[in-house]
Amino acid sequence: MWHDLMSAGISYGEKAMRTVLVYLVVLVLLRWGGKRELAQLNTFDLVVMLLLANVVQNAIIGPDNSVAGAAFGAAVLLAVNALLVRAASLSSRLGRLLEGSPVVLARDGQWLPSEVRRSGLSRADLDVAVKRQGGDDVSETTTVSLEPSGSLLVSLRDGDQAADKNDVAALRAEIAALRQQLTHPGPGSGSGAGPR
């Protein structure tokens, strides 16, 4: 029994090569498929991702069902991923090649229909993204972009942004100044000081 659990059915060199090749193929396919698969996983996308994992499993492990073989394949997969992520972070050219670059979906409060169509995202999903990030609709944005990670980045116009800590601090300072004026009126602010 222990022999079956620990003995790999194929050589570790072949297993490493299979893992690297399948990793690269899946990476290219996901890159080709677009950022939408990462941005919004709907039911269809989830099914595809689950089936994709199952489809490539046999290509990685081959006829090997051992624990040792699975651990080795997982280690190779994680190592290749870590190396590529580091290489992409060190080289902007490689990073753009592997991850892509941001795609602007809206500019100056207007959706860019051709870019929205090309991204494969629905207007409803994009409207929800704008609302999640503090806007009421696209007219309040300067840009909406689909980032290489698949996340949607919404930049709101200055007047439409939610209040931040600096805004709250400025308001508190103004209220404190008004309280000071009301409790300690300055000279000439008495009831008889004004013209009749």
Side-chain angles (χ1 to χ4, degrees), residues 34-94:
K35 300 178 192 94
R36 179 185 178 283
E37 280 70 25
L38 303 174
Q40 302 285 328
L41 275 180
N42 61 28
T43 306
F44 303 112
D45 298 328
L46 181 60
V47 168
V48 168
M49 291 302 224
L50 291 172
L51 290 175
L52 180 62
N54 194 44
V55 165
V56 300
Q57 175 188 353
N58 289 339
I60 290 176
I61 64 171
D64 179 12
N65 290 323
S66 70
V67 173
F72 179 76
V76 169
L77 192 57
L78 292 173
V80 169
N81 186 60
L83 287 172
L84 270 180
V85 167
R86 284 213 174 98
S89 69
L90 294 174
S91 167
S92 59
R93 176 179 275 168
L94 181 62

Side-chain angles (χ1 to χ4, degrees), residues 71-149:
F72 179 76
V76 169
L77 192 57
L78 292 173
V80 169
N81 186 60
L83 287 172
L84 270 180
V85 167
R86 284 213 174 98
S89 69
L90 294 174
S91 167
S92 59
R93 176 179 275 168
L94 181 62
R96 279 191 309 276
L97 177 68
L98 293 176
E99 296 178 356
S101 54
V103 175
V104 176
L105 302 174
R107 184 175 283 119
D108 298 324
Q110 300 289 321
W111 293 117
L112 303 175
S114 61
E115 296 300 327
V116 170
R117 247 189 329 276
R118 196 175 349 203
S119 74
L121 294 168
S122 73
R123 251 332 146 75
D125 288 341
L126 294 171
D127 289 336
V128 167
V130 169
K131 288 180 181 178
R132 280 188 185 147
Q133 296 188 37
D136 290 327
D137 60 36
V138 71
S139 66
E140 295 182 356
T141 67
T142 55
T143 58
V144 177
S145 60
L146 180 58
E147 297 299 304
S149 65

